Amino acid sequence: MLQLRNDMSDVTDAPEPEVQNVARPRSSKRKRLGDDGFAGLPMPRRLLAIAAISFGNALLVIDGAIANVALPTLSRELAVTPGVATNVIVVYQLVLVMGLLPMSSLGQRLGLRRLYQAGQVVFCVSSAACFFVDSLAQLLILRAVQGAGATMGLAVSVALLRAIYPSKSLGSGLGFNSVVITSSLAVAPTLGGYILAHFDWQWIFVIAAPLALVSLVLGSALPSGERKPAAGDLKGALWVAATMAMLIGGVQLASHSSAALGIAVVVAGVVSLVLLVRRERRREEPVVPVDLLSKPVIGLSLLAAFVAFIGTGLIIVSLPFRLEQVMGFAPDEVGLLLVPIPLTLMFVNPVSGWLSDRIAPSKLGVSGLSVAVVGLILLALMPDDSSAMDVTWRLVIFAMGFGFFIAPNSRLIVGSVPHDRTASIGGTMQTVRLFGQACAATAVGLLLALGLGEGAVPGIVAAGMLVLAAMASMVRFNTVRKQQRQAETELLI
């Protein structure tokens, strides 16, 4: 019954992170909206911790995005084909998705701060080594090591954020973190272009290292997190890594190489995932948090996020092809035309995060998705002779709507698990995001191969994905409300 009350959060206006304070006064709505009494870090340590994790997350985002602009240069300088050069991105992403869940489990045993800072050290050293690279093989090895360091940080970043902020301000904290991420995404392409124009290409992979040093200096203010002395599950960790490698690797193969082989690998990954879930259900400390995923408030929220990331990825990956090859914009103009997305999110995410501490996630999320769907349809139906301003205001509508979905949805997921399981669910959230983006890239490749990727179809399909996300949110709301009514009936009996 106590856990059921925790799952009622979406119905009763906002998430309740813990179940201890069941008998809280109903006269104070502000107190009831997600405040379980957790005070977070004291001031001014909280500000130092926020700075530490902000610098750390910024470097991880910049490093993951900045390499995209260097692919043509790498192909030319290292004398490889453009397809081979993309392995610089693929290797990094593959290491990320393979390691997130195992590392989040490791963070719960070793301590959040210890693992996060270890990741910063690994990233900093491997980034510095990139300065001496002169072959693709060396670069791929170091990118894999960079990915490992990034994985260690990303796996526990959500758990650290929850331990930094008071429960009543968790939504605001997640919103501010989104500002750091979106602003880093906006800066990365411009910074990468400047580096390539004025310095050797190796600096692309070195430039984020100073941010790691700043994060390390401030890192003593980060919360250590509660450590679990349980023995590690090496078999489970390796199984998770192999399964994720098959799923993401299969998607990459289907998109860039052999469709038949890629589909076969994905099918093998799905079978492995089913068997893994059956195994994890029997374990008290699962690497994959299947016990949390079985709760509608969490499982359906993650499903909504997954299809929403597919939808947003579809439009972000496909739109440059339409803008350049159909609408006639120059490559540098295309880059500028995509900037409204992160810029809009930079302003919207703090507001939606603040509101998510006060308003039910379904009300915000479904409303936001509705606005985003309108923006996507307007983009899909946009005339081929549209001006840059016509593209911009449509993108602003889409990004604004998506911003009002993702922050409340994340707030609900994070706030619905016990504090000592936040690292596990945080790793799952990051995995869902990466897998959704990989599926989106594959879908765009398929649409382009069918001759449908440069017109209205990607926008229509993306709008359909966001409609599915809204449906998942509504099913979550109705399911939890039904459980609440059943619980109230049982209490009356």
Side-chain angles (χ1 to χ4, degrees):
M1 183 62 68
L2 294 183
Q3 185 59 55
L4 179 60
R5 183 178 179 85
N6 187 47
D7 291 348
M8 298 302 110
S9 53
D10 193 29
V11 177
T12 57
D13 283 326
E16 297 183 23
E18 296 290 342
V19 300
Q20 297 98 315
N21 303 325
V22 174
R24 59 171 60 95
R26 298 187 63 84
S27 59
S28 173
K29 189 175 183 180
R30 183 71 171 270
K31 175 70 175 176
R32 186 161 50 92
L33 296 186
D35 184 4
D36 66 344
F38 181 72
L41 294 179
M43 300 290 278
R45 180 184 174 188
R46 186 189 306 168
L47 296 178
L48 293 175
I50 292 171
I53 199 167
S54 295
F55 278 108
N57 287 344
L59 79 89
L60 299 179
V61 172
I62 289 175
D63 184 71
I66 199 172
N68 293 316
V69 301
L71 292 180
T73 301
L74 293 176
S75 174
R76 181 178 62 254
E77 295 291 332
L78 298 176
V80 297
T81 65
V84 172
T86 60
N87 286 320
V88 173
I89 308 297
V90 173
V91 167
Y92 187 86
Q93 293 179 335
L94 193 59
V95 172
L96 273 179
V97 78
M98 288 173 63
L100 280 170
L101 286 173
M103 285 298 174
S104 63
S105 178
L106 182 64
Q108 293 176 148
R109 295 194 303 274
L110 296 183
L112 303 179
R113 181 176 64 200
R114 181 176 297 180
L115 186 65
Y116 189 83
Q117 291 194 288
Q120 304 295 306
V121 172
V122 171
F123 183 90
C124 191
V125 172
S126 57
S127 296
C130 286
F131 185 77
F132 305 98
V133 165
D134 58 8
S135 71
L136 181 64
Q138 294 174 351
L139 181 59
L140 291 178
I141 293 172
L142 288 175
R143 284 295 283 172
V145 180
Q146 279 186 318
T151 302
M152 296 164 74
L154 283 175
V156 297
S157 61
V158 173
L160 282 170
L161 284 169
R162 190 178 187 188
I164 290 171
Y165 287 94
S167 295
K168 64 181 181 181
S169 304
L170 178 59
S172 300
L174 292 173
F176 177 76
N177 188 62
S178 296
V179 172
V180 174
I181 292 173
T182 52
S183 58
S184 300
L185 285 172
V187 167
T190 304
L191 179 61
Y194 179 83
I195 291 172
L196 291 174
H198 297 86
F199 302 95
D200 293 334
W201 62 264
Q202 287 89 342
W203 282 100
I204 283 284
F205 305 101
V206 180
I207 195 64
L211 296 177
L213 293 176
V214 176
S215 181
L216 282 170
V217 171
L218 299 175
S220 60
L222 290 170
S224 59
E226 182 181 350
R227 295 173 58 183
K228 292 185 176 181
D233 181 10
L234 179 59
K235 179 180 178 180
L238 293 176
W239 195 340
V240 169
T243 300
M244 292 297 105
M246 286 188 284
L247 291 174
I248 298 296
V251 168
Q252 295 287 350
L253 282 174
S255 178
H256 301 293
S257 184
S258 169
L261 179 59
I263 292 173
V265 173
V266 169
V267 171
V270 171
V271 173
S272 177
L273 180 61
V274 172
L275 296 175
L276 176 62
V277 168
R278 291 178 60 183
R279 174 186 185 268
E280 295 293 273
R281 282 179 175 174
R282 299 191 296 266
R283 298 187 61 84
E284 293 184 1
E285 298 288 341
V287 178
V288 181
V290 292
D291 56 329
L292 299 177
L293 297 177
S294 64
K295 300 173 184 176
V297 70
I298 298 175
L300 289 171
S301 297
L302 284 170
L303 176 61
F306 175 63
V307 293
F309 281 124
I310 294 178
T312 55
L314 274 167
I315 200 65
I316 291 172
V317 175
S318 66
L319 191 58
F321 291 96
R322 185 181 182 189
L323 292 174
E324 183 174 344
Q325 300 180 16
V326 177
M327 301 177 68
F329 289 99
D332 57 340
E333 293 175 319
V334 171
L336 290 175
L337 284 174
L338 294 178
V339 170
I341 296 178
L343 284 181
T344 302
L345 290 173
M346 192 184 309
F347 289 100
V348 170
N349 282 337
V351 177
S352 62
W354 180 82
L355 288 174
S356 68
D357 288 324
R358 294 158 175 81
I359 300 176
S362 290
K363 295 177 183 178
L364 281 176
V366 174
S367 299
L369 288 171
S370 300
V371 172
V373 167
V374 171
L376 288 173
I377 293 175
L378 290 171
L379 282 168
L381 302 179
M382 178 174 54
D384 291 341
D385 60 350
S386 297
S387 66
M389 183 57 66
D390 293 328
V391 177
T392 297
W393 68 260
R394 287 172 168 86
L395 285 175
V396 169
I397 292 175
F398 157 68
M400 183 172 60
F402 183 72
F404 275 101
F405 160 74
I406 196 62
N409 195 67
S410 300
R411 170 68 170 89
L412 179 60
I413 295 170
V414 175
S416 297
V417 300
H419 278 271
D420 62 351
R421 301 294 302 280
T422 309
S424 182
I425 206 65
T428 305
M429 292 167 64
Q430 300 283 11
T431 302
V432 165
R433 176 179 62 84
L434 291 171
F435 191 44
Q437 292 172 346
C439 290
T442 301
V444 171
L446 178 61
L447 291 174
L448 288 170
L450 296 174
L452 302 173
E454 298 177 358
V457 174
I460 298 298
V461 176
M465 291 292 104
L466 265 61
V467 169
L468 291 177
M471 292 174 61
S473 296
M474 292 305 300
V475 170
R476 175 195 67 207
F477 180 85
N478 291 330
T479 301
V480 174
R481 182 171 59 178
K482 182 179 179 180
Q483 291 177 340
Q484 183 185 38
R485 289 175 176 173
Q486 290 176 346
E488 290 173 349
T489 301
E490 291 175 1
L491 285 175
L492 291 175
I493 296 175

